[in-house]
Each structure stands twice: as C-alpha cells, then as structure tokens.
Amino acid sequence: MFTKLDRGILQSSIMAEDSDTFKIWVVLLAACDSDGIAPVSAVYISSVARLSLDVVRAAIVRLEAPDPESRSTNDEGRRLRRVDGGFELINYQVYRARSLREAEAERKRLYRLHHPPHSPSSGEDKKNEEGEGEASPPVRKCPDKDGTDKDGLLPIPKGLPFELRDPLVNERAEIRRLARMIEQGKRQDGPDRISPEGLERRRQGFNQRIKDVS
C-alpha cells in the first residue's frame, strides 16, 4: 500500500506543526491501510522515525486534539483517533475517495480519446452502428481450463494496491454489462456501441492486464 500525496497539504494546518510532528504524520500516512487504519504503535513510530517515545506520544496527543485552524470541520479538525490495533486517520477515506474518482475520470477520458464512439474499428462495428449484423458473443457457461470464468475473464489477483485493483474491477464490470446487452439483443448506442468481436478484444485486453500484474 501507499498513500497519494494531495497537493492540498500545502494549505493544510499540518504544515504549521513542528518538524517532529509532521514527520510522525508522514509515518502514519505511509503505514495506513486502505481502510484508513495505521496498524502501528507509538513504540513502532519511535523506532522508524528515530524519535524519542516522549516526542512521539506528545505528537500523537496534538494530532488527536481539535484543530481550530483546520480546513476540515469533520470531528472538530482532529486528524487522528486511537482504535483497536492502531490509529485511524480521520479524513483518510475522504481523500482516498477523491483520488479514486479522479483516477476513474482520467481512465474514462483516455478511453474516449482512443475509442471515439463514432469511429468503429471494423466492419462489424459499422454494422452494429447501423443496427445490422447483431450477433450473440460466445457465452461461456462454466469456468474454462485456462482459469477464466463464465464471461471469459481471469480472476483479479488478491493483494493488489487499489490503484491497480479498482480500475480492473470497473473494467470487468463494464465488460460483463456489455456482454449482457449483446446477449439480450439490445442496441448499443454512444459509448456502449460494440460488436461481439470488439467485446472479445476487450476480454483479451483485460486478461492480458491480469497476466501482467500477476
């Protein structure tokens, strides 16, 4: 896991803290899991930050206290909360959700850039654009020997960082949605326009990305 650094930190009141407190905050960010929990103790922070235990404990007290200068009104501006097994970074999920939205928006922008909805890549796509040549893609009813599921998709490996996992989850859901539309004989318009051959190419591209990260 790693934590993206939001440039908003430059306007954050955390920048006004002393260097030791800021260093400890960086340690907590780096140790944080996707659920916003840093599974560490004050003793561990003291060890990796090369700071005395008293300095670490004092910094934790400051980070747990209300911050009247914070831009966030969540929990009176507190940054940290003790939980079972470590510390919760109170606004971590807010920034993580924003990061995911921005990453997804960029993925869609790049997809639209390389797959214009009115520029079919083959004759079959052209037929689908005109409402002709509708055909059902091959539907797999049971897992294949190559490890793919009924939709011909490889499973997403466990333990991937969310920056790799979430785009794959979204792509898998999109492929399955398009497969159902073609299977049910529904017309695909706009960005949903795709032929069975085009769907198969997306399957193959998805599976290749799975192999690349496995």
Side-chain angles (χ1 to χ4, degrees), residues 80-126:
L80 206 60
R81 180 187 298 118
R82 291 176 188 267
V83 295
D84 186 26
F87 298 93
E88 177 186 1
L89 279 67
I90 293 173
N91 284 326
Y92 183 88
Q93 294 290 0
V94 174
Y95 285 98
R96 183 175 187 272
R98 179 190 300 173
S99 174
L100 288 175
R101 287 195 302 270
E102 292 173 351
E104 178 63 7
E106 178 65 7
R107 184 191 70 81
K108 290 181 177 179
R109 185 189 71 81
L110 292 174
Y111 180 84
R112 290 192 296 269
L113 179 65
H114 296 293
H115 301 80
H118 298 298
S119 299
S121 58
S122 71
E124 287 299 320
D125 289 336
K126 181 65 176 178

Side-chain angles (χ1 to χ4, degrees), residues 136 179-186:
S136 296
R180 297 293 87 78
M181 291 181 68
I182 294 178
E183 182 180 354
Q184 295 166 14
K186 295 181 179 179

Side-chain angles (χ1 to χ4, degrees), residues 65-81:
D67 181 3
E69 304 303 324
S70 176
R71 295 174 301 160
S72 172
T73 58
N74 188 20
D75 207 347
E76 298 182 284
R78 290 180 174 87
R79 303 184 183 279
L80 206 60
R81 180 187 298 118

Side-chain angles (χ1 to χ4, degrees), residues 7-129:
R7 64 181 178 183
I9 196 173
L10 298 175
Q11 287 80 43
S12 172
S13 57
I14 192 68
M15 299 296 292
E17 296 290 347
D18 62 83
S19 58
D20 288 342
T21 300
F22 188 81
K23 185 177 183 179
I24 291 166
W25 179 244
V26 172
V27 171
L28 288 164
L29 286 173
C32 203
D33 289 332
S34 60
D35 58 0
I37 306 296
V40 297
S41 65
V43 173
Y44 174 84
I45 297 172
S46 172
S47 174
V48 299
R50 300 295 192 269
L51 295 169
S52 73
L53 190 56
D54 287 341
V55 168
V56 172
R57 286 170 173 165
I60 289 173
V61 169
R62 284 195 293 276
L63 294 170
E64 289 178 321
D67 181 3
E69 304 303 324
S70 176
R71 295 174 301 160
S72 172
T73 58
N74 188 20
D75 207 347
E76 298 182 284
R78 290 180 174 87
R79 303 184 183 279
L80 206 60
R81 180 187 298 118
R82 291 176 188 267
V83 295
D84 186 26
F87 298 93
E88 177 186 1
L89 279 67
I90 293 173
N91 284 326
Y92 183 88
Q93 294 290 0
V94 174
Y95 285 98
R96 183 175 187 272
R98 179 190 300 173
S99 174
L100 288 175
R101 287 195 302 270
E102 292 173 351
E104 178 63 7
E106 178 65 7
R107 184 191 70 81
K108 290 181 177 179
R109 185 189 71 81
L110 292 174
Y111 180 84
R112 290 192 296 269
L113 179 65
H114 296 293
H115 301 80
H118 298 298
S119 299
S121 58
S122 71
E124 287 299 320
D125 289 336
K126 181 65 176 178
K127 288 180 181 179
N128 278 340
E129 180 181 2

